[in-house]
Amino acid sequence: VGSVGRLSGQKGHRYLVEAALRILSGRPDTVFVVVGEGEERGALERLAATLGVARSFRFPGFMVEVEKAYPVFDLFVLPSLYEPFGLAVLEAMAAGLPVVAAATGGLREIVEDETTGLLVPPGDPEALAQGVLHLMEHWESSARPMAERGRQQVHRRFGRQGAIARIEALYLGSEM
């Protein structure tokens, strides 16, 4: 289970650490990789240790070429409390990963709940755990199809051709 982002309170990684207790009770072989750096890193590592899940977490820090992290993940989680856009979710979807994201800000516009990913209430580790476990337990029937629809959507809406079409529509005064 991977996540990418600045390690700050806004990004809500503490809820992923808290959700790990439930996820690990159902899937004890799960490994969590949280890529990024920030003022919350020490607190996240301490919380993982306090909850007894530290051995299942990896905090590799900042990566210049973060796109190289996505192929390592089986699924992607972004538990933000607020998120104006959600570039990491777009990158994960473009990489063909199933996504569980908090239903906040721009993430609600990127992820179509139960179609291109799962949206959960922000700040809710139980819902986050349920979403992750659902995708793990329903890989072929749910996670894989969502990931493919998400990949297609990102390329259609945010890829080069989609961007060109939106710019043309803007200049020509038509709607898409």
Side-chain angles (χ1 to χ4, degrees):
V1 175
S3 190
V4 171
R6 187 179 67 256
L7 303 185
S8 69
Q10 168 198 345
K11 297 297 184 177
H13 290 106
R14 69 165 292 134
Y15 303 106
L16 177 58
V17 175
E18 292 172 3
L21 275 172
R22 179 149 191 273
I23 295 166
L24 290 166
S25 70
R27 289 298 194 81
D29 58 336
T30 303
V31 175
F32 301 88
V33 180
V34 181
V35 177
E37 197 57 68
E39 69 273 4
E40 289 289 311
R41 181 178 178 152
L44 292 169
E45 291 172 334
R46 287 188 298 280
L47 179 60
T50 299
L51 296 176
V53 298
R55 65 181 173 80
S56 297
F57 271 84
R58 308 293 180 271
F59 293 94
F62 176 77
M63 290 181 68
V64 173
E65 297 177 279
V66 72
E67 67 277 1
K68 291 183 178 180
Y70 295 104
V72 174
F73 306 151
D74 291 313
L75 64 90
F76 185 82
V77 174
L78 192 60
S80 297
L81 294 175
Y82 57 95
E83 191 68 50
F85 183 65
L87 181 60
V89 166
L90 281 180
E91 292 170 342
M93 290 169 71
L97 293 172
V99 169
V100 178
T104 184
L107 298 177
R108 291 185 306 237
E109 295 176 27
I110 296 169
V111 178
E112 294 176 38
D113 192 30
E114 297 186 18
T115 301
T116 62
L118 296 179
L119 291 173
V120 299
D124 188 340
E126 179 63 25
L128 192 61
Q130 287 176 1
V132 169
L133 287 168
H134 175 80
L135 292 180
M136 288 177 164
E137 293 165 3
H138 300 93
W139 191 258
E140 291 300 324
S141 64
S142 190
R144 191 179 299 271
M146 278 185 203
E148 180 54 27
R149 287 189 297 267
R151 188 189 64 72
Q152 290 172 1
Q153 175 184 296
V154 168
H155 289 292
R156 184 178 63 251
R157 287 181 61 198
F158 301 99
R160 181 177 301 157
Q161 292 304 325
I164 291 170
R166 282 193 309 282
I167 292 169
E168 285 177 344
L170 179 67
Y171 279 109
L172 298 174
S174 62
E175 291 188 24
M176 292 193 55

Short mmCIF file of all heavy atoms in Angstrom, two decimals, residues 27-61:
data_model
loop_
_atom_site.label_atom_id
_atom_site.label_comp_id
_atom_site.label_asym_id
_atom_site.label_seq_id
_atom_site.Cartn_x
_atom_site.Cartn_y
_atom_site.Cartn_z
N ARG A 27 -4.86 -8.69 6.76
CA ARG A 27 -3.81 -8.96 5.79
C ARG A 27 -2.45 -8.69 6.43
O ARG A 27 -1.83 -7.65 6.21
CB ARG A 27 -3.98 -8.08 4.56
CG ARG A 27 -5.16 -8.43 3.67
CD ARG A 27 -4.96 -9.84 3.14
NE ARG A 27 -5.78 -10.24 2.06
CZ ARG A 27 -5.62 -9.98 0.77
NH1 ARG A 27 -4.66 -9.20 0.37
NH2 ARG A 27 -6.43 -10.47 -0.11
N PRO A 28 -1.95 -9.61 7.27
CA PRO A 28 -0.73 -9.36 8.05
C PRO A 28 0.54 -9.19 7.21
O PRO A 28 1.53 -8.67 7.71
CB PRO A 28 -0.62 -10.59 8.96
CG PRO A 28 -1.50 -11.61 8.36
CD PRO A 28 -2.55 -10.91 7.57
N ASP A 29 0.52 -9.57 5.94
CA ASP A 29 1.69 -9.45 5.08
C ASP A 29 1.77 -8.09 4.38
O ASP A 29 2.70 -7.84 3.61
CB ASP A 29 1.70 -10.57 4.04
CG ASP A 29 0.45 -10.57 3.16
OD1 ASP A 29 -0.60 -10.05 3.60
OD2 ASP A 29 0.52 -11.11 2.05
N THR A 30 0.84 -7.19 4.66
CA THR A 30 0.81 -5.89 4.00
C THR A 30 2.00 -5.04 4.41
O THR A 30 2.37 -4.98 5.58
CB THR A 30 -0.50 -5.14 4.35
OG1 THR A 30 -1.61 -5.96 3.99
CG2 THR A 30 -0.58 -3.81 3.64
N VAL A 31 2.58 -4.36 3.43
CA VAL A 31 3.67 -3.41 3.66
C VAL A 31 3.16 -2.04 3.20
O VAL A 31 2.57 -1.92 2.12
CB VAL A 31 4.95 -3.80 2.88
CG1 VAL A 31 6.02 -2.73 3.03
CG2 VAL A 31 5.44 -5.15 3.34
N PHE A 32 3.40 -1.03 4.00
CA PHE A 32 2.99 0.34 3.71
C PHE A 32 4.23 1.16 3.39
O PHE A 32 5.20 1.15 4.17
CB PHE A 32 2.27 0.95 4.92
CG PHE A 32 1.05 0.18 5.34
CD1 PHE A 32 1.15 -0.87 6.23
CD2 PHE A 32 -0.19 0.50 4.82
CE1 PHE A 32 0.03 -1.59 6.62
CE2 PHE A 32 -1.32 -0.22 5.19
CZ PHE A 32 -1.21 -1.27 6.10
N VAL A 33 4.21 1.85 2.26
CA VAL A 33 5.33 2.69 1.85
C VAL A 33 4.81 4.11 1.73
O VAL A 33 3.93 4.39 0.92
CB VAL A 33 5.94 2.22 0.51
CG1 VAL A 33 7.11 3.12 0.12
CG2 VAL A 33 6.38 0.76 0.59
N VAL A 34 5.34 5.00 2.55
CA VAL A 34 4.93 6.39 2.55
C VAL A 34 6.11 7.23 2.07
O VAL A 34 7.08 7.44 2.80
CB VAL A 34 4.46 6.85 3.96
CG1 VAL A 34 4.01 8.30 3.93
CG2 VAL A 34 3.33 5.94 4.46
N VAL A 35 6.02 7.67 0.82
CA VAL A 35 7.10 8.43 0.18
C VAL A 35 6.87 9.91 0.43
O VAL A 35 5.79 10.43 0.16
CB VAL A 35 7.16 8.15 -1.33
CG1 VAL A 35 8.24 9.01 -1.99
CG2 VAL A 35 7.40 6.67 -1.60
N GLY A 36 7.87 10.57 0.95
CA GLY A 36 7.78 12.01 1.18
C GLY A 36 8.56 12.40 2.42
O GLY A 36 9.04 11.56 3.17
N GLU A 37 8.67 13.68 2.61
CA GLU A 37 9.39 14.23 3.75
C GLU A 37 8.57 15.38 4.30
O GLU A 37 7.78 15.98 3.59
CB GLU A 37 10.77 14.72 3.29
CG GLU A 37 11.76 14.92 4.40
CD GLU A 37 12.01 13.67 5.24
OE1 GLU A 37 12.57 12.70 4.74
OE2 GLU A 37 11.60 13.70 6.42
N GLY A 38 8.74 15.68 5.58
CA GLY A 38 8.03 16.80 6.16
C GLY A 38 8.07 16.76 7.67
O GLY A 38 8.61 15.81 8.28
N GLU A 39 7.47 17.78 8.28
CA GLU A 39 7.54 17.94 9.72
C GLU A 39 6.84 16.84 10.50
O GLU A 39 7.10 16.66 11.69
CB GLU A 39 6.99 19.31 10.13
CG GLU A 39 5.49 19.49 9.94
CD GLU A 39 5.06 19.95 8.56
OE1 GLU A 39 5.91 20.08 7.66
OE2 GLU A 39 3.85 20.20 8.40
N GLU A 40 5.98 16.05 9.87
CA GLU A 40 5.25 15.00 10.58
C GLU A 40 5.96 13.64 10.54
O GLU A 40 5.47 12.69 11.15
CB GLU A 40 3.85 14.84 9.98
CG GLU A 40 2.92 15.99 10.28
CD GLU A 40 2.49 16.02 11.73
OE1 GLU A 40 2.06 14.98 12.26
OE2 GLU A 40 2.59 17.10 12.35
N ARG A 41 7.08 13.55 9.86
CA ARG A 41 7.72 12.24 9.71
C ARG A 41 8.01 11.58 11.06
O ARG A 41 7.65 10.42 11.27
CB ARG A 41 9.00 12.35 8.90
CG ARG A 41 9.65 10.98 8.72
CD ARG A 41 10.89 11.03 7.88
NE ARG A 41 11.46 9.69 7.79
CZ ARG A 41 12.18 9.27 6.79
NH1 ARG A 41 12.43 10.06 5.77
NH2 ARG A 41 12.66 8.05 6.80
N GLY A 42 8.64 12.29 11.97
CA GLY A 42 8.95 11.72 13.28
C GLY A 42 7.71 11.29 14.03
O GLY A 42 7.67 10.20 14.63
N ALA A 43 6.66 12.10 13.98
CA ALA A 43 5.41 11.77 14.66
C ALA A 43 4.77 10.53 14.05
O ALA A 43 4.22 9.68 14.78
CB ALA A 43 4.45 12.95 14.60
N LEU A 44 4.85 10.39 12.74
CA LEU A 44 4.29 9.21 12.07
C LEU A 44 5.07 7.95 12.45
O LEU A 44 4.47 6.90 12.72
CB LEU A 44 4.30 9.40 10.55
CG LEU A 44 3.35 10.46 10.02
CD1 LEU A 44 3.65 10.75 8.55
CD2 LEU A 44 1.89 10.05 10.22
N GLU A 45 6.38 8.06 12.49
CA GLU A 45 7.20 6.91 12.88
C GLU A 45 6.93 6.52 14.33
O GLU A 45 6.82 5.32 14.65
CB GLU A 45 8.68 7.22 12.66
CG GLU A 45 9.05 7.32 11.19
CD GLU A 45 10.46 7.81 10.93
OE1 GLU A 45 11.02 8.54 11.78
OE2 GLU A 45 11.00 7.46 9.87
N ARG A 46 6.78 7.51 15.20
CA ARG A 46 6.47 7.23 16.62
C ARG A 46 5.08 6.60 16.76
O ARG A 46 4.88 5.65 17.53
CB ARG A 46 6.58 8.49 17.47
CG ARG A 46 8.03 8.94 17.71
CD ARG A 46 8.12 10.08 18.72
NE ARG A 46 7.44 11.30 18.30
CZ ARG A 46 7.96 12.20 17.45
NH1 ARG A 46 9.18 12.01 16.95
NH2 ARG A 46 7.28 13.29 17.12
N LEU A 47 4.11 7.11 16.01
CA LEU A 47 2.76 6.56 16.06
C LEU A 47 2.75 5.10 15.59
O LEU A 47 2.13 4.24 16.23
CB LEU A 47 1.80 7.40 15.21
CG LEU A 47 0.35 6.92 15.16
CD1 LEU A 47 -0.28 6.90 16.56
CD2 LEU A 47 -0.47 7.80 14.20
N ALA A 48 3.47 4.82 14.51
CA ALA A 48 3.56 3.45 14.02
C ALA A 48 4.17 2.54 15.08
O ALA A 48 3.71 1.41 15.29
CB ALA A 48 4.37 3.40 12.72
N ALA A 49 5.21 3.03 15.77
CA ALA A 49 5.84 2.24 16.83
C ALA A 49 4.88 2.03 18.00
O ALA A 49 4.74 0.91 18.52
CB ALA A 49 7.12 2.93 17.31
N THR A 50 4.19 3.08 18.40
CA THR A 50 3.24 3.00 19.52
C THR A 50 2.12 2.01 19.23
O THR A 50 1.71 1.25 20.11
CB THR A 50 2.64 4.40 19.82
OG1 THR A 50 3.70 5.27 20.18
CG2 THR A 50 1.62 4.35 20.93
N LEU A 51 1.64 2.01 17.99
CA LEU A 51 0.54 1.11 17.60
C LEU A 51 1.02 -0.31 17.29
O LEU A 51 0.21 -1.19 17.04
CB LEU A 51 -0.22 1.69 16.41
CG LEU A 51 -0.94 3.02 16.65
CD1 LEU A 51 -1.56 3.53 15.37
CD2 LEU A 51 -1.98 2.87 17.76
N GLY A 52 2.34 -0.50 17.26
CA GLY A 52 2.88 -1.83 16.99
C GLY A 52 2.88 -2.22 15.53
O GLY A 52 2.92 -3.41 15.20
N VAL A 53 2.85 -1.23 14.62
CA VAL A 53 2.82 -1.52 13.19
C VAL A 53 4.08 -1.04 12.46
O VAL A 53 4.16 -1.11 11.24
CB VAL A 53 1.55 -0.93 12.52
CG1 VAL A 53 0.29 -1.55 13.11
CG2 VAL A 53 1.52 0.60 12.64
N ALA A 54 5.08 -0.58 13.21
CA ALA A 54 6.27 0.03 12.61
C ALA A 54 6.99 -0.91 11.65
O ALA A 54 7.51 -0.47 10.62
CB ALA A 54 7.23 0.51 13.69
N ARG A 55 7.02 -2.20 11.95
CA ARG A 55 7.76 -3.11 11.07
C ARG A 55 7.09 -3.27 9.70
O ARG A 55 7.71 -3.74 8.75
CB ARG A 55 7.97 -4.47 11.73
CG ARG A 55 6.72 -5.25 12.00
CD ARG A 55 7.03 -6.58 12.69
NE ARG A 55 5.84 -7.26 13.10
CZ ARG A 55 5.07 -7.98 12.28
NH1 ARG A 55 5.38 -8.12 11.02
NH2 ARG A 55 3.98 -8.57 12.74
N SER A 56 5.84 -2.84 9.59
CA SER A 56 5.12 -2.92 8.32
C SER A 56 5.20 -1.62 7.51
O SER A 56 4.65 -1.55 6.42
CB SER A 56 3.64 -3.26 8.57
OG SER A 56 3.53 -4.53 9.16
N PHE A 57 5.86 -0.61 8.06
CA PHE A 57 5.96 0.69 7.39
C PHE A 57 7.36 0.96 6.89
O PHE A 57 8.34 0.62 7.54
CB PHE A 57 5.54 1.82 8.35
CG PHE A 57 4.07 2.10 8.29
CD1 PHE A 57 3.19 1.35 9.06
CD2 PHE A 57 3.56 3.08 7.46
CE1 PHE A 57 1.84 1.57 9.01
CE2 PHE A 57 2.20 3.32 7.41
CZ PHE A 57 1.33 2.56 8.18
N ARG A 58 7.41 1.60 5.73
CA ARG A 58 8.67 2.11 5.16
C ARG A 58 8.46 3.60 4.89
O ARG A 58 7.46 3.99 4.29
CB ARG A 58 9.02 1.41 3.85
CG ARG A 58 9.03 -0.11 3.88
CD ARG A 58 10.13 -0.68 4.76
NE ARG A 58 10.10 -2.13 4.77
CZ ARG A 58 9.41 -2.89 5.61
NH1 ARG A 58 8.67 -2.31 6.55
NH2 ARG A 58 9.46 -4.20 5.56
N PHE A 59 9.41 4.40 5.33
CA PHE A 59 9.40 5.83 5.09
C PHE A 59 10.69 6.18 4.35
O PHE A 59 11.67 6.61 4.97
CB PHE A 59 9.33 6.61 6.42
CG PHE A 59 8.03 6.45 7.16
CD1 PHE A 59 7.88 5.48 8.15
CD2 PHE A 59 6.95 7.27 6.87
CE1 PHE A 59 6.69 5.33 8.84
CE2 PHE A 59 5.75 7.13 7.56
CZ PHE A 59 5.62 6.17 8.54
N PRO A 60 10.71 5.99 3.02
CA PRO A 60 11.96 6.21 2.27
C PRO A 60 12.37 7.67 2.12
O PRO A 60 13.45 7.95 1.64
CB PRO A 60 11.68 5.58 0.91
CG PRO A 60 10.20 5.62 0.77
CD PRO A 60 9.65 5.49 2.16
N GLY A 61 11.49 8.60 2.51
CA GLY A 61 11.84 10.01 2.40
C GLY A 61 11.47 10.58 1.04
O GLY A 61 10.68 10.02 0.29
#
